[in-house]
């Protein structure tokens, strides 16, 4: 990849480590057009609330600048009848997902039992996406209604839907009662191969995603070492199936509490926690290229942290992770996915934050109140800030640092984690640099002697702000300046040093001065 130095807007980073100062310089990688699909979201819409029809919900998604959304979303996709716009009968579900195995699907079935056919159907969701100018990623049901999918796609085509992205179901590797045991992946891939040519005939430009097993791409071992799970990726990637899909669908559920057990101090835990998203995404991108070739990832669900499941670990490290709930630690963890997508345009094609709601679990974006206001979390605030900037610029760039100090932690066998991680935007407006300092040291950015002033916004990992606040959408103040964090811009002239605090994300904006 080619890199170009920041000419008049070059910056130098100087880091004070005890008595010895290290000099760190930053360079922007070659720019590519901004990918709006890095700002996607996921949420369960198949409820009696009928969120997609709610004007308040639509207003909130517009305020957050959500650029993509899934239908029907997550596990419901495997049990969804597109023809009726309803769940399949309960007895069919329990044949595949037994009622005692954390089967929250049965709650949705009961909740929507009295919903009229079509109320939650694809035609209604298509109208919803059109109303908020958000791209829909259509999910097919290859588990229980594979023979009905083409009929539903034809109905959407008749409506004028220009379908660009199709997910071939959701986490199908769990459904052994449907796809079998050791040959589970093979049987799923055969269903994909059967439908794919018909889909391509209807929508020649649509990209098709294949459900891929996360173990052991994100992690150094298989969480589940059964034959079905270990063999899954090898089976779906056999040569006869490869012409039938364009991308690999992955869900990022790595951060379970026991993942911090190897780190014996709060400092080490802090560094590892902030580095885990980028380390594991980079690992997956590398392994996919080595094993399978040039297939991009669709991370259609990311961010879920094990705040609410005790079986994900107990003890000192688990207590540390629990303490990050509703804090800036969590929002920096989540924002790392977006920065990683900007750094890896060929490896990551879609990123969907999971989820819009789930504030009670500690990892949602917000809740709608009415068409004028809503509740947002710290991540809702940061998400709105980053997505609004992405609308103002034209290109995104990897941000690379020379002499970047080592972070000193090992993640999934990788000891090469560094203190600074960043990405950048550029365009006629100028430049916007997004830099996460994952270390416990202050980093000073020494600006070039020439160039426009810099404006800095700081999102700290540690703060006493409330978990969520009410914000108003209209008006002169964007929602990301309304809270929960009370942000104030810091202005710096050329030649001044800009301080990047430990454990923080800084957004540095420079007006156009000949920026490329």
């Amino acid at each position: 990849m080619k890199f170009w130095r920041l000419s008049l807007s070059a910056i130098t980073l100087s880091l004070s480590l005890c008595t010895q100062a290290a000099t760190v310089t930053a360079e922007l990688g070659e720019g590519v057009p901004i990918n709006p699909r890095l700002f996607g979201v996921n949420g369960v819409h198949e409820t009696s609330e009928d969120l997609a029809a709610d004007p308040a919900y639509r207003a909130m998604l517009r305020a957050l600048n959500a650029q993509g959304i899934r239908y029907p979303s997550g596990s419901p996709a495997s049990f969804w009848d597109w023809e009726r716009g309803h769940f399949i009968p309960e007895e069919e579900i329990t044949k595949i997902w037994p009622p005692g195995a954390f089967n929250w699907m049965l709650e949705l079935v009961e909740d929507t039992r009295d919903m009229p056919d079509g109320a939650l159907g694809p035609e209604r969701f298509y109208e919803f996406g059109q109303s908020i100018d958000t791209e829909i990623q259509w999910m097919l049901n290859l588990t229980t209604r594979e023979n009905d999918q083409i009929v539903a796609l034809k109905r959407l085509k008749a409506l004028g839907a220009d379908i660009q992205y199709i997910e071939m179901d959701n986490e199908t590797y769990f459904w052994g009662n449907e796809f079998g045991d050791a040959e589970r992946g093979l049987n799923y891939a055969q269903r994909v191969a059967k439908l794919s040519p018909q889909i391509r005939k209807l929508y020649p430009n649509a990209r098709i995603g294949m459900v891929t097993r996360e173990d052991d791409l994100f992690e150094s071992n298989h969480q589940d070492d059964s034959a079905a799970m270990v063999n899954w990726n090898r089976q779906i990637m056999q040569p006869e199936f490869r012409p039938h899909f364009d991308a690999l669908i992955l869900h990022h559920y790595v951060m379970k509490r026991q993942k911090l057990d190897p780190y014996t101090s709060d400092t080490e835990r802090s560094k590892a926690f902030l580095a885990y998203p980028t380390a594991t995404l980079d690992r997956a991108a590398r392994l996919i290229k080595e094993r399978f070739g040039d297939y991009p990832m669709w991370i259609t669900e990311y961010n879920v942290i094990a705040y609410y499941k005790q079986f994900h670990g107990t003890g000192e490290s688990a207590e540390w992770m629990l303490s990050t709930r509703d804090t800036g630690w969590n929002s920096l963890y989540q924002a790392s996915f977006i920065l990683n997508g900007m750094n890896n345009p060929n490896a990551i094609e879609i990123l969907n934050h999971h989820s819009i709601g789930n504030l009670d679990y500690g990892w949602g974006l917000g809740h709608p109140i009415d068409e004028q206001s809503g509740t947002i979390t710290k991540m809702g605030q940061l998400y709105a800030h980053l997505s609004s900037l992405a609308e103002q610029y034209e290109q995104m760039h990897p941000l690379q640092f020379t002499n970047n100090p080592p972070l000193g932690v090992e993640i999934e066998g990788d000891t090469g984690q560094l203190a600074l991680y960043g990405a950048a935007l550029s365009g006629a407006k100028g430049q916007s640099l997004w830099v996460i300092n994952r270390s416990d040291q202050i980093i000073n950015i020494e600006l070039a002697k020439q160039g426009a002033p810099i404006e800095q916004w700081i999102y700290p990992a540690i703060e006493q702000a409330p978990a969520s606040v009410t914000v108003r959408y209209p008006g002169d103040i964007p929602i990301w300046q309304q809270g929960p964090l009370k942000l104030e811009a810091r202005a710096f002239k050329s030649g001044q040093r800009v301080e990047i605090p430990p454990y923080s994300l800084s957004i540095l904006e420079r007006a156009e001065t000949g920026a490329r």
Side-chain angles (χ1 to χ4, degrees):
M1 180 173 285
K2 298 178 181 178
F3 291 90
W4 51 271
R5 195 171 292 273
L6 283 177
S7 61
L8 292 179
S9 53
I11 58 176
T12 301
L13 304 170
S14 59
L15 172 65
S16 297
L17 292 171
C18 300
T19 57
Q20 185 176 6
T23 300
V24 182
T25 59
E27 292 184 346
L28 270 67
E30 185 176 18
V32 298
I34 291 174
N35 179 7
R37 298 174 188 94
L38 301 181
F39 298 92
V41 290
N42 180 66
V44 176
H45 296 90
E46 299 71 45
T47 72
S48 59
E49 291 181 283
D50 194 4
L51 284 172
D54 183 359
Y57 184 70
R58 297 183 179 202
M60 179 168 213
L61 288 179
R62 290 190 201 100
L64 290 170
N65 297 309
Q67 298 296 305
I69 196 163
R70 304 165 88 200
Y71 175 88
S73 80
S75 295
S78 298
F79 308 99
W80 192 245
D81 184 340
W82 274 48
E83 289 289 338
R84 293 178 54 233
H86 226 290
F87 287 105
I88 66 173
E90 185 174 343
E91 58 269 21
E92 290 189 57
I93 296 175
T94 55
K95 286 180 182 177
I96 296 170
W97 190 351
F102 301 102
N103 192 338
W104 54 271
M105 195 60 48
L106 299 182
E107 298 176 19
L108 292 181
V109 172
E110 182 62 31
D111 175 62
T112 58
R113 193 177 301 280
D114 297 326
M115 295 289 286
D117 284 3
L120 304 175
E123 292 93 343
R124 293 284 185 88
F125 210 82
Y126 172 66
E127 183 276 324
F128 161 67
Q130 295 286 101
S131 73
I132 61 172
D133 194 24
T134 295
E135 184 176 60
I136 299 174
Q137 301 153 26
W138 298 96
M139 304 176 67
L140 302 190
N141 177 357
L142 275 68
T143 303
T144 58
R145 290 291 185 274
E146 63 167 315
N147 294 328
D148 299 338
Q149 304 307 292
I150 298 302
V151 173
L153 289 175
K154 287 180 178 178
R155 278 165 47 187
L156 286 170
K157 190 174 183 67
L159 287 175
D162 181 20
I163 294 179
Q164 297 291 317
Y165 293 88
I166 296 178
E167 292 187 57
M168 301 302 257
D169 214 314
N170 177 82
E171 297 181 1
T172 44
Y173 40 71
F174 283 133
W175 311 135
N177 287 347
E178 175 64 22
F179 292 103
D181 192 16
E183 301 301 304
R184 196 178 300 177
L186 185 64
N187 293 329
Y188 162 73
Q190 288 172 344
R191 295 190 188 184
V192 172
K194 177 183 174 182
L195 285 181
S196 176
Q198 301 174 69
I199 294 170
R200 295 198 192 281
K201 186 176 180 180
L202 271 176
Y203 292 99
N205 297 321
R207 292 179 61 75
I208 296 174
M210 182 76 137
V211 174
T212 310
R213 184 65 182 145
E214 291 81 5
D215 293 357
D216 57 342
L217 292 173
F218 289 134
E219 304 176 86
S220 54
N221 65 303
H222 286 271
Q223 294 179 40
D224 183 340
D225 60 2
S226 66
M229 296 303 190
V230 172
N231 293 336
W232 182 274
N233 287 350
R234 177 183 58 79
Q235 290 172 347
I236 67 170
M237 297 302 297
Q238 290 184 19
E240 64 266 33
F241 301 131
R242 293 194 178 203
H244 299 296
F245 60 91
D246 306 294
L248 304 182
I249 302 169
L250 294 165
H251 292 169
H252 194 284
Y253 291 153
V254 170
M255 187 47 78
K256 298 172 175 61
R257 296 180 205 168
Q258 66 264 30
K259 286 296 179 180
L260 293 181
D261 286 349
Y263 311 100
T264 56
S265 70
D266 285 352
T267 298
E268 286 185 325
R269 293 182 190 111
S270 302
K271 295 174 180 178
F273 182 78
L274 294 181
Y276 244 99
T278 57
T280 49
L281 287 170
D282 286 346
R283 171 189 168 86
R286 182 181 72 252
L287 290 178
I288 287 171
K289 190 171 183 64
E290 290 175 0
R291 296 174 183 177
F292 310 132
D294 294 324
Y295 287 94
M297 291 183 279
W298 294 359
I299 312 296
T300 56
E301 297 179 20
Y302 74 84
N303 165 49
V304 176
I305 298 173
Y307 292 130
Y308 67 107
K309 291 185 178 179
Q310 285 297 326
F311 63 76
H312 284 325
T314 59
E316 191 174 357
S317 62
E319 289 302 313
W320 186 93
M321 185 181 289
L322 285 172
S323 72
T324 68
R325 176 173 172 165
D326 297 326
T327 71
W329 291 101
N330 192 357
S331 58
L332 265 62
Y333 176 95
Q334 297 172 56
S336 297
F337 289 88
I338 298 173
L339 270 67
N340 190 271
M342 294 169 63
N343 267 292
N344 295 280
N346 296 324
I348 298 178
E349 193 167 24
I350 289 175
L351 279 174
N352 289 339
H353 184 281
H354 190 350
S355 65
I356 304 156
N358 291 123
L359 273 65
D360 51 336
Y361 287 157
W363 31 261
L365 295 177
H367 280 317
I369 296 175
D370 53 41
E371 292 183 73
Q372 306 298 313
S373 62
T375 297
I376 64 170
T377 63
K378 296 177 184 68
M379 184 53 199
Q381 178 181 12
L382 181 50
Y383 181 98
H385 195 173
L386 299 181
S387 64
S388 67
L389 288 172
E391 288 187 328
Q392 299 174 40
Y393 293 89
E394 289 80 52
Q395 292 197 313
M396 61 184 190
H397 308 258
L399 190 58
Q400 299 215 349
F401 307 92
T402 59
N403 301 321
N404 196 351
L407 200 54
V409 295
E410 177 181 319
I411 296 176
E412 302 298 338
D414 185 354
T415 60
Q417 303 307 310
L418 303 174
L420 297 175
Y421 190 87
L425 303 176
S426 70
K429 176 183 171 66
Q431 297 170 347
S432 180
L433 279 61
W434 305 351
V435 182
I436 295 181
N437 180 3
R438 306 184 293 197
S439 77
D440 59 345
Q441 302 287 329
I442 295 174
I443 295 180
N444 294 312
I445 296 180
E446 195 172 90
L447 303 182
K449 298 301 180 183
Q450 299 179 24
I454 283 271
E455 189 175 53
Q456 180 189 27
W457 304 88
I458 299 174
Y459 286 85
I462 304 173
E463 80 293 302
Q464 301 301 316
S468 59
V469 298
T470 296
V471 297
R472 291 191 59 79
Y473 307 145
D476 298 329
I477 301 176
I479 65 172
W480 58 265
Q481 281 187 265
Q482 298 179 42
L485 291 176
K486 300 300 181 185
L487 299 177
E488 293 184 5
R490 300 181 181 181
F492 296 88
K493 297 179 180 179
S494 296
Q496 286 186 293
R497 288 187 174 185
V498 179
E499 183 179 277
I500 309 291
Y503 308 129
S504 69
L505 183 151
S506 280
I507 297 174
L508 305 173
E509 287 195 89
R510 186 196 297 273
E512 204 283 331
T513 57
R516 297 175 60 180

